[in-house]
Amino acid sequence: MSEASIFASNRKHSITDNRIRNIFWYIGECYILLCNDKRQYSKTFVKEHTTIHFEDFLRFRFVEDYLIKNKSLLKERSSDLDEINFTSETQKEYIDQADYKQKPDKIDIFINKLGLAKTWGECEDKIYFAIECKRINSLIDINHYIGDLIKFTNRRYIELRLPFEGQLGFIESNSLSNQQIVEDINSKLERSSCIVTKQLLNSCLINQNISSTYKSIHKRNTDNKELFSIYHIFLDYSNIVIN
């Protein structure tokens, strides 16, 4: 690869990384707003009055009530994201590297209109970023969290999914610390035979008021073995989720 190509590739990665970091800064700001509103979500109420899985309910409330409604905060921080769009539960297509069949990919939080069309040379509507969400009550739930990471490595996406992924953990137990969670995830990644990890979860301060953001780097199990990064954020829901 020529020096010019390396420069262009590094610039593309840097611009994209900055957009993703701004999104995670905004997630932190929305979480602060949620806490200031003293919101509480009852598992009993959701079970008795809806047919929605509780994890989906938490995600709907965060996306619909905060990420969508407070976008002016993000626009003030980055004018490049003035058209950003957040959607809860969208499906795209991918090729499964196990059987090479085309399958639907359910995305928890779908984010597009990232202002990256010129950077990537692709139609704005075809470029997207995805965040997967998981409830974590105990360390056993880390297995489901790792399950999403396995999906990231084993799928070849048809449209331009950025070489960045997002994972959000709703931490419902006040007896679980971020350190415990991250140590358990990293331990499982070190032992994993199906996930190639180039960098374990490292603390990554994006929002000065949120200390629970981390970054890891992995390799896709696709033909080009593309490296991709994951930004992780763990939100304390121990006083937000009630019985």
Side-chain angles (χ1 to χ4, degrees):
M1 184 181 290
S2 68
E3 288 187 12
S5 297
I6 293 172
F7 174 80
S9 177
N10 288 342
R11 184 173 183 277
K12 178 193 292 187
H13 187 278
S14 176
I15 291 171
T16 306
D17 185 55
N18 185 59
R19 300 286 160 84
I20 303 304
R21 290 174 68 91
N22 279 331
I23 290 169
F24 270 77
W25 170 88
Y26 177 59
I27 289 172
E29 289 298 296
C30 286
Y31 172 68
I32 292 168
L33 289 174
L34 183 151
C35 292
N36 290 342
D37 288 342
K38 301 187 185 306
R39 287 291 185 97
Q40 289 189 312
Y41 304 119
S42 164
K43 289 184 283 187
T44 300
F45 177 88
V46 173
K47 182 177 181 179
E48 293 180 351
H49 297 276
T50 81
T51 59
I52 304 172
H53 291 297
F54 195 65
E55 179 184 299
D56 295 334
F57 182 85
L58 294 180
R59 174 168 40 81
F60 283 138
R61 297 282 58 78
F62 194 63
V63 173
E64 301 294 331
D65 299 345
Y66 291 93
L67 293 180
I68 291 176
K69 291 185 177 181
N70 297 285
K71 288 192 290 185
S72 61
L73 293 175
L74 187 53
K75 293 175 184 178
E76 289 171 8
R77 183 176 176 87
S78 173
S79 59
D80 295 312
L81 293 170
D82 60 351
E83 298 293 332
I84 194 168
N85 177 63
F86 295 92
T87 307
S88 184
E89 199 166 305
T90 299
Q91 289 195 83
K92 287 291 184 178
E93 298 169 286
Y94 74 96
I95 305 297
D96 192 324
Q97 295 304 285
D99 57 17
Y100 296 97
K101 290 184 178 180
Q102 192 166 319
K103 299 177 181 179
D105 178 29
K106 175 180 170 291
I107 298 168
D108 286 344
I109 302 177
F110 174 85
I111 306 170
N112 66 346
K113 303 290 186 181
L114 297 162
L116 290 169
K118 189 176 293 185
T119 302
W120 285 88
E122 180 60 271
C123 172
E124 189 70 59
D125 290 333
K126 297 289 186 181
I127 304 171
Y128 69 99
F129 173 59
I131 298 177
E132 297 301 322
C133 305
K134 283 288 177 287
R135 295 170 62 200
I136 300 177
N137 284 291
S138 69
L139 291 181
I140 294 174
D141 295 323
I142 297 300
N143 292 324
H144 302 297
Y145 191 91
I146 293 290
D148 279 339
L149 210 156
I150 292 172
K151 293 176 186 177
F152 296 152
T153 63
N154 288 334
R155 296 181 175 183
R156 179 166 63 82
Y157 301 102
I158 293 176
E159 292 186 1
L160 206 169
R161 181 152 163 164
L162 297 171
F164 293 87
E165 305 287 354
Q167 290 192 260
L168 188 161
F170 298 113
I171 313 304
E172 297 181 26
S173 171
N174 57 17
S175 64
L176 273 181
S177 68
N178 291 327
Q179 182 178 353
Q180 286 176 292
I181 292 168
V182 170
E183 286 179 354
D184 194 72
I185 292 172
N186 282 341
S187 176
K188 286 179 168 60
L189 289 175
E190 288 179 318
R191 299 195 307 269
S192 175
S193 60
C194 57
I195 303 171
V196 178
T197 298
K198 307 300 286 186
Q199 175 188 297
L200 296 171
L201 274 71
N202 282 342
S203 181
C204 179
L205 186 62
I206 294 174
N207 186 312
Q208 293 294 324
N209 298 307
I210 303 291
S211 62
S212 54
T213 309
Y214 302 82
K215 183 180 181 181
S216 61
I217 302 174
H218 310 273
K219 186 181 288 188
R220 298 206 198 271
N221 294 329
T222 52
D223 294 338
N224 63 3
K225 305 298 182 185
E226 176 190 42
L227 286 178
F228 69 99
S229 301
I230 302 177
Y231 280 103
H232 310 255
I233 187 166
F234 302 104
L235 302 180
D236 182 1
Y237 266 55
S238 60
N239 292 319
I240 296 169
V241 171
I242 59 175
N243 288 324

